[in-house]
Amino acid sequence: MNRRRFLKHSLATAAAATLGAPATRTAWARTGSRPRLPLPTLIDVSKSGRLDLTAQQGRHIFGSGEPSHTYGYNQDYLGPIVRARRGQEVAVRLRNGLDEPLATHWHGLLVPGNVDGGPHQAIDPGAVWEPVLPIDQPPSTAWFHAHTHPHTARQVYAGLAGVFQIDDGQDDARGLPHEHGIDDFTLILQDRRFDGAGRLEYRLGMFDRMHGFRGDRILVNGAVNPRAEVPRSLVRLRLLNGSNARIYHLRLSDGRPMHLIASDAGYLPQPIATDELRLAPGERFEVLVDFREGGEVELLTGPDRNQGGPGMMGMMGALRSQASALLGDDLPVLSFHPNDTHGSVDRLPDTISDALDALPTEFVRHRRFSLDMMLGGMPMMRGMMGGGMAGPTMGINGRPFDMGRLDEQVRLGAIEHWTVESDMLMHPFHIHGVHFQVLADETGRSPRLENRGEKDTMLVDGRAELAVTFTQPADQKTPFMYHCHVLEHEDAGMMGQLTVS
Ligand code: C2O
Ligand code: CU
Ligand code: CU
């Protein structure tokens, strides 16, 4: 039997046996009115230089059902928005109030490995972690989240994520809105499933293990399909995909454009108008939307097309109906209701920032990474035959992640060329401690909108070429991670680690 036929046979058998968690179609209590968009607490640390965080357990009511067991930083679910200034140091004091170990990573911050918060820096229940973060990077929207191997997916799903903004106080000069909650909204997008009583659900079926976990409801800042009041002016949206696996294809219901002003690592030189924006797990984009005309409009997400090619779907067999239930439809995200107030910005800025750095053309070293779903490997077969508890094995360059194995050693400051390849599914590839440039993506040598500017996460659809230059050191005890940001893939081993010296 060839590999594909063998797989097809095994998968069909296993699927029939393990399709335990179908998409929940709960009788969600429709109250008629949508909840107000929650505004996360803003903690401005630019004066104090101190950040106190407690990871804690919570009971949170989503909608009108029963309370769910959740996790959060300083609150029941999710965490605050931390705002810091370029050039300062932030002394963090993070207490683990959970009854399990926790690592917390600063995704997008250019800080050394010893304060990066990767899986080697997990702390015990009751313990305190006190990293000092030197903030020296352009203004941007970064974030922080649980990174405890191999429990990242479950811990983030339960709510362990917050936003970290770097600000330089120059947004007035740039002509950008920046009043938090007035004309500057931070939006954490997550998809979730709920059981019949309205409680958060996280049970992995075979489909979820293969494709990553998706929900059938979209939460913004922890509220299901909320509504936001906005002024009749230009409004800034800072979008973070904090979902485990869902790729958003965002658009506005009346087709009005979004003006892209920033990606992961900071501002673009000029706004770029687009009517659709693809947002992969871990990515951030900032857009301006024009509400001067008034009129309600809905932010929607289109079908998540990360289903794999015909081969993948053929193999998935019995899982196909679950796939279409979770991936197939347009879903509402957030509705906007312009009121009578006016924000401070009523024209689109022409120029925001300096021109992007030229792409390097000479490299001291080439590395190749393939993001592998090792379907033919014994671990997967054993797992599936044994009832699907183990799930598929994921890896990079054929090897699942091993905390005790160093995969790469990189020279500080060396300009490297990385080729990253994916087969079967698209994978959002993230590297700790660095901002990279995308030399080529699936569209070729003029990367799509989402891949311009400096990035720390990009969706690899077949093949991508990156220019990567580390400016932060990381030693063997606390190496930097690079991984797929589909959190179930990361936990299943699609991650590697490197030192920089
Ligand atoms: Cu946002 Cu290593 O992760
Ligand atoms: Cu990161
Ligand atoms: Cu992946």
Side-chain angles (χ1 to χ4, degrees), residues 105-108 116 145 147 430-433 483 485:
H105 164 59
W106 318 101
H107 179 140
D116 173 69
H145 62 79
H147 214 306
H430 169 54
I431 316 174
H432 287 210
H483 60 88
H485 222 285

Side-chain angles (χ1 to χ4, degrees), residues 321-366:
S321 62
Q322 188 177 359
S324 59
L326 288 168
L327 302 176
D329 300 324
D330 265 2
L331 293 170
V333 177
L334 170 66
S335 67
F336 294 102
H337 303 261
N339 59 26
D340 292 332
T341 63
H342 291 268
S344 55
V345 175
D346 56 13
R347 63 177 287 276
L348 202 62
D350 303 316
T351 307
I352 306 166
S353 183
D354 297 339
L356 298 174
D357 289 346
L359 299 175
T361 50
E362 285 183 38
F363 302 93
V364 303
R365 167 106 203 222
H366 184 220

